[in-house]
Amino acid sequence: ATLPFGLHGKIESVRNTSTNVGRLLCAAIRRSTRADAAIFNSGSIRASIGPGEVTKGDLLAALPYGNFAVTVRMKGSDLLRALNHGLAQPNEGGFPQFYGLRVTARETKTFGANGAIIRRCRAEAGEVGDYPLDPDEDYTIAINDFMYEGGDGYKAFSKYPSQTHQTVEEILRDYLAQADPEGLSEINQDDVLAIIVEEPAAAK
């Protein structure tokens, strides 16, 4: 497989915003599992992948944990709860990468007791496909087995029955082998997460 651009997997990027490696990975998982959307914890992404020929070593460096893709059929209210759990963890491995979803979130910053800035991020609006996220609707969501088992504090998934699929590395490998450059470029440029940042009020 050949990439026309690099995939940005640096920790400071994937744990704070949507990146092209997260979008591409989730697009691959979503298509492979036929889910409505896919969510992936950024802590399971460990390296960037440069442009050009993608090797098995590149994929294993980026995805070293051997996670399997898992699908669950879940309520929109729990999907929103999972998203907000992840969004509330900037700089942490639980911060979510996703595709098939569009989220507008608001980030607020407050001063902690020691003067440190505390960041909180929460979804204000969400869409699944082309429709607003409905708390009462059922959605098929693809994640990984680590998240299903409660990894990074995700608790919204395990109450639902699950179906296990291929490893995430295999899914991405097959996706890249079949993908066309135009489709890859569309995912590369897609803006699925908008974060509105509110600056903190002056410390008292």
Side-chain angles (χ1 to χ4, degrees), residues 2-30:
T2 301
L3 275 174
F5 47 80
L7 298 178
H8 309 301
K10 290 185 177 180
I11 286 177
E12 58 267 29
S13 297
V14 296
R15 298 190 180 196
N16 284 283
T17 191
S18 171
T19 70
N20 61 357
V21 68
R23 292 190 296 273
L24 188 61
L25 174 59
C26 288
I29 296 170
R30 177 193 181 204

Side-chain angles (χ1 to χ4, degrees), residues 69-83:
V70 170
T71 49
V72 295
R73 186 75 176 166
M74 66 190 303
K75 285 288 183 188
S77 54
D78 282 325
L79 172 57
L80 184 60
R81 185 159 67 94
L83 284 169

Side-chain angles (χ1 to χ4, degrees), residues 68-132:
F68 287 84
V70 170
T71 49
V72 295
R73 186 75 176 166
M74 66 190 303
K75 285 288 183 188
S77 54
D78 282 325
L79 172 57
L80 184 60
R81 185 159 67 94
L83 284 169
N84 277 324
H85 169 76
L87 289 168
Q89 300 184 61
N91 293 315
E92 300 294 334
F95 191 88
Q97 298 291 321
F98 48 82
Y99 205 72
L101 288 160
R102 292 187 181 279
V103 176
T104 299
R106 184 171 298 273
E107 180 181 286
T108 57
K109 299 180 181 180
T110 57
F111 287 99
N114 61 355
I117 293 178
I118 301 171
R119 298 169 55 199
R120 293 185 176 88
C121 200
R122 187 170 180 84
E124 287 197 331
E127 295 178 2
V128 181
D130 296 323
Y131 300 95

Side-chain angles (χ1 to χ4, degrees), residues 132-152:
L133 196 163
D134 185 343
D136 297 319
E137 185 66 54
D138 289 330
Y139 299 101
T140 299
I141 303 299
I143 53 173
N144 60 49
D145 52 348
F146 175 73
M147 296 170 69
Y148 183 76
E149 292 164 4
D152 282 330

